[in-house]
Amino acid sequence: MPADVRPLYLDHAATAPVLAEAMAAFEQAAREAYANPSSLHAAGAAAARRLERARQDLRAALGADRYRVVWTGTGTEGNYLGIQGLARRLGPAAARACGGRPRVLVGAIEHPSAKEAAKALVPQGFQVDSVPVDGAGIVRPAGLRPLLGPGVALVVIQWANNELGGLNPIRELAALTRNLAPGAAFHVDAVQAAGKLATPLDELGADAVAVAAHKLGGVRGCAALLLREDGPLPQPLTPGAGHEGGLRGGTENVAGAAAFAAAAAARRARLQAEPRRYLDRRARLLALLRDAVPDLVPLGAEREEEMLPSILAVAVPGALAEPLLHRMEAEGVYVGSGSACHSHGPAESPVLIAIQCPKHLRGSVLRFSLDGGETADDLQRAAGALRRCLAAV
């Protein structure tokens, strides 16, 4: 790639560059709210006020007026607190209700952090069952319904899949859970979807929602678990000194929280100004890629209302994803291959196995993930790079 050509970054699902609004908020908070927000002096009080302002701003940006914000360090931590904390809180009642082991239901293609959080409950006496997905990677109410019952303590379903971009019908699934397992809580991993959809979190009906700053242009090292105001509280995993209402010990990241809230507000404003900023770019990119590679195989949902429009996963028959990814990098185009959290090594993606992706395609999947500000030239450049990379093999 010529030195004067800027890289084209299309791996926002792995992490997003820090937005200017977030950086400005981070720098201001780092200068002006540097003290420990638990300190009793004036500087500590100023930091506490800045932290509370970020809490309220994040709720407003995500449409989460019915939720309290518990700051965490990562989306993984938010998933662990929501999943393990709620399961432990509600497990005894679920066990009494069914006269056996309390159950946790987990979507078949959840992010590894959610799957591992649930799996770790098994030695503690829980039964963990998988909720099936269809060929688009979506959990349907018909797949969840037969698994629900009085022994269920927790249901864990992600809002958007990080590899395929399929959107789960959270409102319907949460409502079904309340009807058939009224003692259960409903946890949503919204790390990939938050900031990329206009739907307010209040409309989901979940008890707990995990979100993370770095996926939407905040600074790494800050995330949150949103808890429904009238919902159950998780048992804390790190009690510490009673931070975050006793739910999460550890000095809060004030500057990171300010940046998170600013990034979420910026994303919301952009979606309001251009509601189809992701959808139209994704559709254009797919058309260009199909023109460049006629036998390209798109994966995931086909209907707009069932897709996270910032993600486009495609299989390139006859090509291995990792070498192809690096050839694209040499062209100055950065893309992903599956989840950045488990993309290294020869193992096949559990997501592709779960949706019964043909075996000969499982090693050839590229993931293009968008910021929503890409130009027509950017999209054409990505398709042209893929065409040249395949021609050079």
Side-chain angles (χ1 to χ4, degrees):
M1 180 180 68
D4 59 342
V5 176
R6 66 174 179 85
L8 175 56
Y9 185 76
L10 298 177
D11 197 21
H12 294 268
T15 199
V18 179
L19 294 177
E21 296 92 336
M23 185 59 74
F26 183 91
E27 291 176 347
Q28 182 180 24
R31 286 194 308 270
E32 301 175 2
Y34 53 83
N36 190 319
S38 295
S39 294
L40 300 180
H41 46 60
R49 288 193 296 272
R50 187 65 187 89
L51 186 67
E52 185 58 28
R53 190 174 115 202
R55 204 185 305 272
Q56 300 309 317
D57 288 348
L58 185 65
R59 291 174 64 205
L62 297 179
D65 292 338
R66 300 173 188 168
Y67 289 82
R68 64 183 288 187
V69 173
V70 178
W71 298 114
T72 63
T74 64
T76 293
E77 184 191 349
N79 275 335
Y80 267 76
L81 177 58
I83 294 168
Q84 294 197 352
L86 286 172
R88 292 172 185 170
R89 177 74 69 190
L90 301 174
R96 290 193 296 271
C98 70
R101 301 175 71 192
R103 296 167 57 221
V104 174
L105 309 181
V106 183
I109 61 171
E110 295 297 302
H111 187 273
S113 65
K115 277 191 169 183
E116 293 302 318
K119 188 186 300 183
L121 291 166
V122 173
Q124 301 173 39
F126 288 83
Q127 176 180 325
V128 176
D129 297 321
S130 180
V131 185
V133 296
D134 65 12
I138 295 174
V139 174
R140 303 292 178 184
L144 176 61
R145 184 186 302 272
L147 298 173
L148 293 170
V152 176
L154 180 67
V155 177
V156 179
I157 306 291
Q158 61 191 176
W159 193 1
N161 182 258
N162 48 293
E163 291 189 40
L164 301 175
L167 285 181
N168 286 310
I170 297 298
R171 277 175 286 199
E172 292 85 349
L173 297 172
L176 185 65
T177 297
R178 296 207 196 294
N179 183 36
L180 299 182
F186 197 101
H187 173 86
V188 174
D189 174 356
V191 168
Q192 197 59 248
K196 298 157 192 172
L197 296 169
T199 304
L201 295 188
D202 281 338
E203 294 186 7
L204 298 183
D207 295 292
V209 183
V211 293
H214 78 103
K215 297 293 190 181
L216 50 80
V219 177
R220 278 184 289 250
C222 187
L225 178 67
L226 281 67
L227 296 171
R228 187 165 54 85
E229 290 285 6
D230 59 347
L233 293 179
Q235 287 188 2
L237 305 183
T238 53
H243 303 85
E244 295 301 291
L247 292 177
R248 192 262 186 178
T251 302
E252 295 93 344
N253 179 356
V254 178
F260 190 179
R267 293 288 181 189
R268 185 178 184 87
R270 294 178 189 186
L271 276 173
Q272 289 173 337
E274 187 186 354
R276 293 185 59 87
R277 65 185 289 117
Y278 291 108
L279 280 165
D280 288 344
R281 287 170 174 84
R282 183 189 186 278
R284 178 59 178 160
L285 177 59
L286 177 56
L288 290 168
L289 292 174
R290 278 176 157 159
D291 184 60
V293 187
D295 60 348
L296 192 84
V297 181
L299 301 175
E302 296 181 358
R303 297 166 54 195
E304 286 187 353
E305 61 269 26
E306 293 187 341
M307 64 175 65
L308 181 67
S310 59
I311 289 180
L312 173 59
V314 298
V316 185
L320 290 176
E322 187 169 344
L324 183 55
L325 181 153
H326 291 303
R327 288 197 293 272
M328 292 283 284
E329 179 185 4
E331 289 273 346
V333 180
Y334 298 164
V335 300
S337 176
S339 169
C341 297
H342 59 80
S343 61
H344 303 287
E348 290 183 339
S349 163
V351 171
L352 300 180
I353 295 172
I355 66 168
Q356 298 182 358
C357 176
K359 191 172 180 63
H360 72 279
L361 295 178
R362 293 176 193 169
S364 65
V365 177
L366 293 182
R367 182 186 65 182
F368 296 80
S369 48
L370 306 174
D371 167 70
E374 291 82 7
T375 66
D377 287 343
D378 289 334
L379 302 178
Q380 182 65 63
R381 180 181 168 190
L386 181 58
R387 179 192 289 114
R388 289 190 296 274
C389 289
L390 293 172
V393 176

